[in-house]
Amino acid sequence: MKTLFAVILSSLFAMNATAQVADRHTAAKLLPPGDYLCGLGSYKLRDCTIEKAGDGVELIIPDGIGHSIAMRAQLLPSDDKNQLTLLGTLTNPARLCTTCPEGAPDSSECIGTPQDRLACTSQPLVARLKVSNGVARGQLMYYILRPSYDFGATTKYIGYFKLGNMETLTIKPKSKSGR
């Protein structure tokens, strides 16, 4: 019975050319540790790295060199051939999430409740990446808190709302010459 199940399972995978049987090293095979260039949306490709992390790999997009979002993210293997799932966290949430003036967490300059601001800074960053010829691309999903106004006779602040965003994330190996 176990042999019959194994034959059926093997046949199913053989019929589906887009399937693979991922293992703990699949992500590192698709995007091995090293120096890369990363870009979000229309932003220019800038330095980033992929580092070994246990049996897998992590993407590090550093702060301070022009990236719109700084993050550290696991690249998780997938049974879908040449695809990875990115699961990350912000490493500099102030670039994406509203901060308040020092010592004034309830100031009118703050957008959202303290709980919503905390949720923004700790939100998971998620993307499904397709890898082709060593270049990975996918849609990174995240949200921001945006102020809301009533533009009647006078402009009046009426609160905030969560705005969901998706931007194309590109991860490309850095050439030996640095371009």
Side-chain angles (χ1 to χ4, degrees):
M1 190 66 171
K2 286 182 184 179
T3 305
L4 178 60
F5 179 73
V7 169
I8 292 171
L9 189 59
S10 296
S11 298
L12 288 172
F13 281 119
M15 289 186 293
N16 186 352
T18 63
Q20 69 183 6
V21 177
D23 63 30
R24 63 182 69 199
H25 305 287
T26 300
K29 290 174 190 170
L30 291 172
L31 292 175
D35 293 328
Y36 287 78
L37 295 171
C38 294
L40 261 177
S42 62
Y43 281 80
K44 177 179 161 184
L45 292 172
R46 300 181 191 276
D47 289 340
C48 61
T49 57
I50 294 181
E51 297 178 354
K52 185 170 175 38
D55 291 327
V57 288
E58 287 186 336
L59 171 68
I60 292 88
I61 297 181
D63 190 31
I65 60 171
H67 289 290
S68 60
I69 295 177
M71 75 169 96
R72 183 173 202 96
Q74 296 176 30
L75 295 174
L76 305 173
S78 172
D79 283 340
D80 293 323
K81 189 172 184 176
N82 296 326
Q83 292 191 31
L84 300 170
T85 298
L86 175 146
L87 183 58
T89 56
L90 297 167
T91 56
N92 184 355
R95 294 211 38 163
L96 184 65
C97 301
T98 302
T99 57
C100 296
E102 194 67 36
D106 296 319
S107 165
S108 62
E109 297 175 40
C110 301
I111 297 173
T113 66
Q115 296 83 3
D116 283 335
R117 289 191 299 276
L118 179 60
C120 183
T121 61
S122 61
Q123 69 178 292
L125 303 173
V126 180
R128 184 68 164 178
L129 304 172
K130 292 183 181 185
V131 182
S132 178
N133 297 322
V135 177
R137 267 193 193 83
Q139 296 297 310
L140 178 71
M141 293 180 276
Y142 62 96
Y143 73 89
I144 61 173
L145 299 177
R146 179 169 282 177
S148 186
Y149 298 94
D150 178 2
F151 294 105
T154 61
T155 301
K156 180 181 172 190
Y157 173 73
I158 57 172
Y160 67 96
F161 63 100
K162 291 180 182 177
L163 177 67
N165 288 315
M166 280 196 339
E167 292 200 54
T168 300
L169 171 64
T170 302
I171 305 168
K172 174 182 171 182
K174 189 172 184 178
S175 67
K176 301 284 186 229
S177 65
R179 294 183 187 177

